[in-house]
Every structure is written in structure tokens, then in C-alpha cells.
Amino acid sequence: QVQLVESGGGLVQPGGSLRLSCAASGRIFSIDVMGWYREAPGKQRELVASITTGGSTTYADSVKGRFTISRDNAKNTVYLQMNSLKPADTAVYYCNLDRQMPPTTRRYWGQGTQVTVSS
């Protein structure tokens, strides 16, 4: 069992920065991939960034160069540093953990944290 708790969301002006944190409880395995998804009003949930235990990262094209995902395996915590924020980044951000259990993948989600980019 895994529980994910996000923090760090809030209201920020365009061009500003926020850092999201996600703390995972329970046993975390080396094959677990952690990441961030977001769900904007009227849109489906989409992948923002992900990171493996080894540090390999994936980013959505819309956030490349602005967001940085990192992971502290010792603390079972993943971070999302968001810079140069745009109104289009406004969404509920969800922490995610994917665990490969062939032939399927178990997916765990945090409760979500609101990020609002507005002047």
C-alpha cells in the first residue's frame, strides 16, 4: 500500500515560481516511477513530468525548460520546481506513483493540490 500527500500549491502571478512536494508513505520499490499529472478545468488529466528511481526524467513539451522534477529516494519524496509559470499552468496537480506488476501497472494518486497562475 502507498499513500501520497502533495503540498506546495497556491496562487502565483505569471512568471512566478512554485515548488510542489509529494511525500510517499509505505514501502517504495526501486522499480516505482513517480511523477506529476495535472487536470485543468474542462480538460483531461495529463502527464507533466515523471522520474525513475535512477533519475531518468520525462517532461511534457509544454513545460520543458520551465519545470524540473527531482526525487529524493531516501525521503520517498518527489518535487516539482515550476518556474516561469503561465496562466495555462493553472490546474490541480496530482502526485503519481506507478508500480510495474506485470502484466499490469498499479497506479497510486495523491489528493491533488491547486496551482493557480493569475495576475
Side-chain angles (χ1 to χ4, degrees):
Q1 61 183 26
V2 175
Q3 289 184 307
L4 305 172
V5 180
E6 305 102 327
S7 62
L11 174 65
V12 65
Q13 293 187 345
S17 298
L18 286 173
R19 190 186 77 158
L20 305 183
S21 299
C22 174
S25 63
R27 186 175 178 183
I28 309 302
F29 298 100
S30 62
I31 48 83
D32 292 343
V33 177
M34 297 186 70
W36 293 92
Y37 285 69
R38 67 186 181 187
E39 187 172 329
K43 297 183 178 180
Q44 63 181 330
R45 189 172 299 184
E46 65 176 356
L47 174 68
V48 177
S50 65
I51 185 168
T52 68
T53 301
S56 297
T57 59
T58 299
Y59 294 94
D61 288 340
S62 60
V63 306
K64 286 183 177 178
R66 299 188 298 119
F67 292 8
T68 302
I69 189 170
S70 60
R71 182 171 180 170
D72 187 334
N73 293 325
K75 297 180 179 179
N76 290 332
T77 301
V78 65
Y79 306 93
L80 185 67
Q81 179 66 47
M82 304 185 292
N83 299 325
S84 302
L85 283 162
K86 305 175 180 179
D89 296 317
T90 296
V92 177
Y93 284 70
Y94 295 91
C95 183
N96 159 256
L97 184 150
D98 289 343
R99 177 168 295 166
Q100 299 294 329
M101 300 181 67
T104 63
T105 299
R106 291 286 298 273
R107 311 201 78 183
Y108 301 88
W109 299 95
Q111 82 285 354
T113 184
Q114 177 70 48
V115 172
T116 301
V117 184
S118 176
S119 60

